[in-house]
């Protein structure tokens, strides 16, 4: 089944907003060009929402919240069950559009959608997640119990690299908790969020619970400044995450801001070499390296692992990028020319800084797509901490290799890095693995797994400069983020107990 909204966009060439339960054409005079990253073909024009449209979205969300908050959780969840069924039914359709506007391979796009669906499935258990606590006789004849309440209008500001998964981290859980939501997705791939929103409406949710706004920094700031927006979830680059966190908290909002990373994989001498090489290739170049959980630094421990660099090089040289639909491609183009040029500049500067550039993907081309944002697999050896390729998040298909003598040096290296999203260790030693997971100051640790992204019933727990806030995304922490707890103390004197044979209790 083809999305009616995507059909309309193909015809009109313009992406709609979704305000007060309806897709509407923006009245803006400012439009952003949406390009296919593999060909530069113009897909559509994206509106920069007006101040009036932003205000209408907030007012609609505020009005919807007043009624929705009193809907029993079990009824709210029934809508979410319908929504997850529609997402599963239309997964391939969503993935095709996602691949077109991001350049991802179809398999990668399917995974993007599925990881979001898993969070929606977790939200279907909200009846249990919203339960409070109780204790009898906290003092003589005094009982205490707590309730969990929604907080109001929430908002999400999401990045280009996972246009299905990351929005689905946010608004399904917020809405299941009883809130309304304003989604401002990346202007670089808004078609996928349009499809997600269309299915949300098809699931029958009351109008106004979800608003879809497009634009740039001005729309982000409008969300952060609006007094009726109570909580903001963000995923993106470090500088923008810092801005969102500071501005949001200055305006007394709850903010969870997930940012960039520099993720290390520690390779011990006893590790399975084939498993290490395969994991490094997939985790460094998958999704063209455009993910905050990519492994971008391999730390080889001990003298014997130095010989593994040739194996890593040969494996990386065997993969290539390609356009969506190319079943032999390992990954697609970068999202835009600016990103491609930035990665190329970092590659060109690496040699001058003293790194050994074993594979240089700067001049990569793909037959039939001369204008695509291509960067080939890139490998740097003998990288040091003072190099730009180590200090910056490359966000491209590039891997830095470093060498240390001991596990203790590797831990010291990881802990000195300002980022703390994820890290991995590959080893056959349980003692080494336990030491590493215990002593590293990183939010998510993988043991013989390259990308330790937790399942939805846990939380995504980045740390240090990779996360600004107190409560993390999805899992139990997300429920806490989107709710407020009310605690009640009660005492009922025993001499007030009614008595008599005709006493009845009306439960209506």
């Amino acid at each position: 089944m083809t999305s009616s909204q995507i059909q309309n966009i193909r015809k009109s060439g313009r992406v709609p907003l979704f305000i007060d339960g309806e897709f509407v054409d923006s009245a803006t005079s400012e439009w952003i060009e949406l390009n296919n990253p593999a060909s530069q073909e113009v897909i559509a024009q994206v509106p920069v929402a007006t101040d009036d449209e932003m205000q209408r979205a907030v007012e609609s969300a505020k009005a919807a919240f007043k009624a929705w908050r009193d809907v029993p959780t079990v009824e709210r969840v029934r809508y979410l069950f319908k929504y997850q069924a529609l997402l599963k039914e239309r997964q391939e359709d969503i993935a095709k559009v996602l691949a077109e506007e991001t350049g991802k391979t179809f398999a990668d796009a399917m995974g993007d959608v599925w990881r979001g669906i898993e969070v929606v499935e977790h939200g279907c258990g909200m009846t249990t997640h919203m339960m409070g606590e109780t204790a009898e006789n906290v003092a003589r004849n005094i009982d205490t119990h707590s309730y969990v309440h929604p907080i109001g209008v929430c908002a999400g500001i999401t990045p280009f690299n996972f246009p299905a998964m990351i929005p689905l981290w946010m608004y399904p859980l917020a809405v299941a908790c009883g809130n309304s939501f304003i989604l401002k997705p990346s202007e670089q791939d808004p078609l996928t969020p349009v499809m997600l929103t269309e299915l949300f409406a098809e699931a029958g949710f009351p109008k106004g619970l979800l608003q879809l706004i497009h634009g740039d920094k001005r729309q982000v700031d409008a969300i952060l400044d609006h007094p009726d927006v109570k909580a903001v979830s963000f995923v993106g680059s470090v500088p923008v995450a810092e801005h969102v966190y500071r501005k949001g908290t200055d305006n007394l909002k709850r903010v969870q801001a997930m940012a960039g990373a520099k993720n290390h994989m520690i390779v011990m001498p006893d590790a399975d070499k084939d498993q290490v090489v395969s994991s490094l290739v997939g985790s460094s170049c998958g999704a063209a390296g455009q993910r905050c959980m990519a492994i971008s630094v391999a730390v080889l421990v001990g003298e014997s692992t130095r010989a593994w660099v040739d194996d890593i090089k040969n494996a990386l040289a065997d993969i290539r990028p390609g356009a969506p639909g190319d079943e032999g491609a390992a990954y697609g183009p970068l999202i835009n020319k600016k990103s491609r040029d930035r990665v190329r500049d970092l590659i060109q500067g690496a040699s001058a800084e003293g790194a050994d550039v074993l594979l240089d993907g700067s001049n990569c081309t793909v037959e039939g797509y001369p204008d695509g944002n291509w960067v080939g697999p890139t490998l740097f050896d003998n990288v040091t901490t003072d190099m730009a390729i180590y200090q910056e998040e490359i966000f491209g298909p590039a891997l830095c290799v470093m060498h240390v003598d001991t596990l203790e040096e590797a831990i010291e290296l990881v802990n000195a890095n300002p980022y703390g999203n994820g890290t991995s260790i590959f080893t056959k030693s349980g003692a080494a693995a336990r030491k590493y997971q215990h002593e590293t100051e990183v939010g998510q640790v993988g043991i013989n797994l390259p990308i330790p992204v937790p399942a939805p019933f846990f939380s995504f727990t980045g740390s240090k400069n990779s996360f600004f806030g107190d409560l993390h995304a999805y899992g139990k922490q997300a429920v806490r983020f989107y709710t407020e707890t009310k605690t009640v103390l009660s005492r009922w004197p025993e001499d007030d107990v009614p008595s008599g044979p005709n006493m009845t209790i009306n439960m209506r």
Side-chain angles (χ1 to χ4, degrees), residues 316-464:
L316 283 171
D318 281 343
I319 67 170
R320 60 174 178 81
D326 181 351
E327 295 184 359
Y331 60 91
L334 271 64
I335 191 66
N336 55 39
K337 289 183 177 180
K338 182 179 178 181
S339 295
R340 179 202 63 189
D341 292 345
R342 176 183 171 276
V343 173
R344 287 179 174 178
D345 288 343
L346 284 167
I347 295 172
Q348 295 308 311
S351 180
E353 289 188 306
D356 295 329
V357 184
L358 304 184
L359 288 175
D360 183 343
S362 298
N363 298 315
C364 176
T365 59
V366 172
E367 185 177 355
Y369 296 89
D371 299 320
N373 306 317
W374 309 112
V375 175
T378 298
L379 179 63
F380 310 105
D381 194 15
N382 295 311
V383 174
T384 59
T385 58
D386 58 344
M387 295 177 182
I389 54 172
Y390 179 79
Q391 294 177 349
E392 295 187 34
E393 184 179 28
I394 299 176
F395 227 57
L399 177 65
C400 299
V401 177
M402 307 177 76
H403 302 274
V404 298
D405 294 328
T406 65
L407 176 59
E408 287 75 15
E409 288 181 62
I411 293 172
E412 184 179 346
L413 174 70
V414 170
N415 288 345
N417 192 275
Y419 301 109
N421 235 11
T423 188
S424 294
I425 182 170
F426 276 65
T427 181
K428 292 186 176 74
S429 168
R434 188 184 186 284
K435 176 181 177 66
Y436 189 73
Q437 74 176 39
H438 179 67
E439 295 184 11
T440 46
E441 298 166 2
V442 177
Q444 295 159 130
V445 180
I447 297 173
N448 297 316
L449 292 168
I451 302 180
V453 178
F457 34 90
F458 287 87
S459 295
F460 186 94
T461 52
S463 62
K464 297 196 285 191

Side-chain angles (χ1 to χ4, degrees), residues 177-244:
C177 287
N179 304 291
S180 56
F181 202 90
I182 299 169
L183 176 63
K184 192 280 169 194
S186 171
E187 64 276 15
Q188 298 179 89
D189 45 15
L191 302 187
T192 300
V194 166
M195 291 190 72
L196 300 180
T197 302
E198 185 178 17
L199 294 179
F200 185 89
E202 189 176 331
F205 284 94
K207 72 174 187 177
L209 287 182
L210 178 62
Q211 318 283 330
L212 181 63
I213 291 294
H214 303 293
D216 53 26
K217 181 180 182 296
R218 289 166 289 179
Q219 285 63 46
V220 171
D221 285 342
I223 288 170
L224 296 172
D225 285 332
H226 203 293
D228 289 329
V229 176
K230 303 302 181 184
V232 177
S233 301
F234 171 85
V235 177
S237 68
V238 174
V240 182
E242 290 179 347
H243 169 77
V244 168

